[in-house]
Amino acid sequence: MNVRINSSTFFYKSMFLMITLMSILFLSGCLEKGNQTPLSPSDVLRSEGSLAVEIKFSSPVQAKLPDDLKTLIIKVTGSDMDTISVEYDASDYPSGATLTNIKAGTGRNVTATGVDDSGNDKYTGNASVDICNDQTASLLVNVYLIDDGPSNCSVTINNDSGNTETLNVNLYPVATNATHMMFSNDSTFSANSGWIEYDDSSSYPWTLASGDEGTRIIYAKYRSSGDIESSLVQDNITYIPSSDFFVDSVSGNNTNDGRSWSSAKKTIQNAIDSAPYGGTVLVKAGTYVEAITLKDGVAMYGGCDGTETSSDDRTNIFSAAKLTVIDGNNSVNHVVTGTSGAYINGFQIKRGNAVGIGELKKGAGLYASNSNGIQIIRCWFESNTSIGPGTGLYFKDSINTSVDMCLFKNNTGTNDGTSWGTGLCFDNSGGSITSSIFHSNKGSRGTAMAIINGSSPLIANNTIHNNEDMWESMCDGIYCNGAGSDPRIYNCIVYGNSLGGNGSIISENGSAITVDYSNVDGGWFGQGGAGNLSEDPKFINNAADPDGPDDEYGTDDDEYRLDVSTSNCHDSGSGDYYGITDFTGAYRNDLLTVDMGAYEQ
């Protein structure tokens, strides 16, 4: 018997079919079946990247058909014979289709057509066989998908953006002849996505390996319908963590990464510890019962409502809905411990209780020692107690400090003679205190502020009112003590405190104070004196309700504003030294005629 093999191949929609013709020839004794031998491998016709034909005498193999193939149509045709065909449901076709009574002759064409779920002729393959004996034959045709495995494989992270601020990224897979894909953060695929259906029409969300800043690599591999896997492909991206961290006392969790409101930290300290140098911590309104230590180069912002993406988005930070409280619960010596390069803005700091010994009796609200460049902006120190100086805020051996737009209220120094500067104390320290309010504090000398041991801060545009030296009846305003304690006081109102005009500003033991363009109850007769007043500043409603009817500091109804129609403090300050913004955060527009006190009308 002569069997001649012809190969005819073509490509269709990147998928391939192979037709195996297993010739079971019933030749009426012309050739015994036992004499049939398989073709050698060299006789198998295979063309890479196209349809291939394989003809041999052997048992049929199990078919591996495309997942979307629904129907198989197999035909045998020839110029001198009728077409013989058979149609199968693909799910009923495990191993082959038999076509009988094939007339002997040359050019017997066998075709297979695969119809998909939509009724399209999607898969095709064909072969040609010459049956040279004048007999009929039965052909067993086996159809399966040629699968050379995935090719042209790649993966990119975030469309090759190069850098990412978050570990949550998008992967963009690309492969030819792939049905599934798998991703991993390591080349061993010890932890992986599992095999997921391949789809190159959309991105795939992925979380990169955790850790510090640096390069992250993602590995991918692909699988074809014949379960042939590709080699590994990879892409890398540089992880530069976002400098923003978010805190929410209600819905936050310290196991979260803190990179968004939805994954916020629960405590402020945890966020501070997580933030890198140059980082920012945004804290949602609420009460945080904890003691915290600030961090060099990390900025903290309270007064958030949980929608902000930056500190610039905050509004009305002292409103009831935005108030962000760090509460020492009367159980800690320092509610906040400062450090060089730290920045804190928009917090109420309350109920510190500095009743220890040494440094632990100072700075119940905020304590900063040996600090350089700490900035404290728009903070509210209230209801702190101490037996030492600086009940609200205490600076020790610190330089370049900045306190601006802050409120010191209802702080209490509880020890006769040592709780100096109940609101604020500069101890051998320099810097500035501007556009701030001191009212209703009770303590010893310098109930609002004490400047001691060689401190020389700038004190500008502050309002000091209704404070009480309840222990010594000596100084309820600003107290200076010691050689080198030479503060410069400009544009301030120190008026209406408990001692009247008898203790507004006191200087002792070699301190040298300069006071200009300020309204000082009882007058000032020391160094300076230019532009000073000593008269009722004419606060709105005599400041009977300091935060006004809306019970919110920093708004238009605050009663420490001046009655511009009657107050001589209006437009009487100096533009040489001033708080750039007033207590509300509004810029002082006309710097030649600034108001005295914390507010600019």
Side-chain angles (χ1 to χ4, degrees), residues 65-124:
L65 299 176
D67 293 337
D68 61 347
L69 190 149
K70 182 175 181 60
T71 304
L72 272 172
I73 302 171
I74 302 172
K75 297 180 180 180
V76 180
T77 61
S79 61
D80 60 347
M81 62 170 285
D82 295 332
T83 297
I84 298 174
S85 67
V86 63
E87 181 174 328
Y88 287 88
D89 187 299
S91 62
D92 296 331
Y93 183 74
S95 59
T98 301
L99 293 92
T100 60
N101 298 318
I102 310 299
K103 183 179 179 181
T106 60
R108 299 301 182 243
N109 296 313
V110 181
T111 63
T113 302
V115 182
D116 67 15
D117 293 335
S118 300
N120 301 313
D121 293 349
K122 186 173 183 180
Y123 306 102
T124 61

Side-chain angles (χ1 to χ4, degrees), residues 277-592:
Y277 185 89
T280 297
V281 175
L282 297 176
V283 184
K284 188 174 180 180
T287 298
Y288 297 80
V289 181
E290 57 179 303
I292 66 171
T293 298
L294 304 182
K295 189 175 181 180
D296 185 9
V298 173
M300 276 180 52
Y301 293 91
C304 299
D305 63 14
T307 63
E308 296 84 355
T309 58
S310 77
S311 60
D312 294 337
D313 298 333
R314 300 176 307 152
T315 59
N316 302 323
I317 66 172
F318 286 147
S319 66
K322 299 289 188 69
L323 195 61
T324 309
V325 182
I326 310 175
D327 186 352
N329 198 30
N330 291 323
S331 62
V332 297
N333 293 294
H334 314 306
V335 178
V336 179
T337 300
T339 190
S340 295
Y343 180 96
I344 182 170
N345 180 313
F347 292 88
Q348 184 186 45
I349 300 168
K350 66 184 293 185
R351 296 208 299 171
N353 188 25
V355 293
I357 60 175
E359 299 306 295
L360 298 181
K361 66 181 181 180
K362 309 169 185 177
L366 193 154
Y367 175 92
S369 177
N370 294 295
S371 295
N372 184 354
I374 185 173
Q375 298 180 69
I376 303 165
I377 313 297
R378 303 196 77 180
C379 286
W380 181 347
F381 298 86
E382 180 178 6
S383 301
N384 298 287
T385 58
S386 75
I387 60 174
T391 305
L393 172 57
Y394 177 80
F395 291 121
K396 171 79 170 177
D397 301 330
S398 297
I399 60 174
N400 300 318
T401 63
S402 178
V403 182
D404 190 33
M405 298 179 284
C406 288
L407 172 66
F408 299 81
K409 171 188 174 185
N410 292 336
N411 298 289
T412 304
T414 61
N415 198 355
D416 178 13
T418 60
S419 54
W420 299 353
T422 305
L424 165 64
C425 180
F426 285 91
D427 186 348
N428 190 36
S429 297
S432 63
I433 166 73
T434 55
S435 298
S436 296
I437 297 172
F438 297 76
H439 84 81
S440 305
N441 299 289
K442 295 181 179 182
S444 187
R445 64 185 74 177
T447 308
M449 197 182 314
I451 315 298
I452 62 176
N453 296 327
S455 300
S456 299
L458 169 66
I459 303 171
N461 284 103
N462 300 292
T463 297
I464 298 172
H465 178 260
N466 196 33
N467 299 285
E468 179 185 356
D469 179 352
M470 65 179 183
W471 294 105
E472 298 178 288
S473 298
M474 177 182 181
C475 177
D476 48 19
I478 301 172
Y479 175 72
C480 300
N481 186 295
S485 294
D486 304 327
R488 296 155 294 156
I489 302 174
Y490 298 93
N491 305 337
C492 288
I493 297 174
V494 187
Y495 202 92
N497 297 289
S498 64
L499 300 177
N502 297 319
S504 296
I505 301 176
I506 298 294
S507 175
E508 287 190 328
N509 299 323
S511 64
I513 307 173
T514 298
V515 182
D516 287 313
Y517 300 96
S518 296
N519 186 4
V520 181
D521 199 351
W524 172 252
F525 305 100
Q527 185 171 307
N532 288 333
L533 301 173
S534 179
E535 59 184 68
D536 185 347
K538 301 296 179 63
F539 297 127
I540 299 295
N541 196 32
N542 293 318
D545 184 8
D547 57 4
D550 67 358
D551 295 325
E552 180 181 337
Y553 283 97
T555 59
D556 290 341
D557 69 351
D558 291 4
E559 294 189 357
Y560 277 127
R561 292 181 179 274
L562 301 174
D563 182 343
V564 297
S565 64
T566 60
S567 175
N568 289 325
C569 295
H570 176 55
D571 287 345
S572 296
S574 169
D576 294 330
Y577 300 97
Y578 56 89
I580 296 175
T581 56
D582 76 352
F583 179 74
T584 70
Y587 283 94
R588 300 180 191 271
N589 295 321
D590 187 353
L591 300 183
L592 296 178

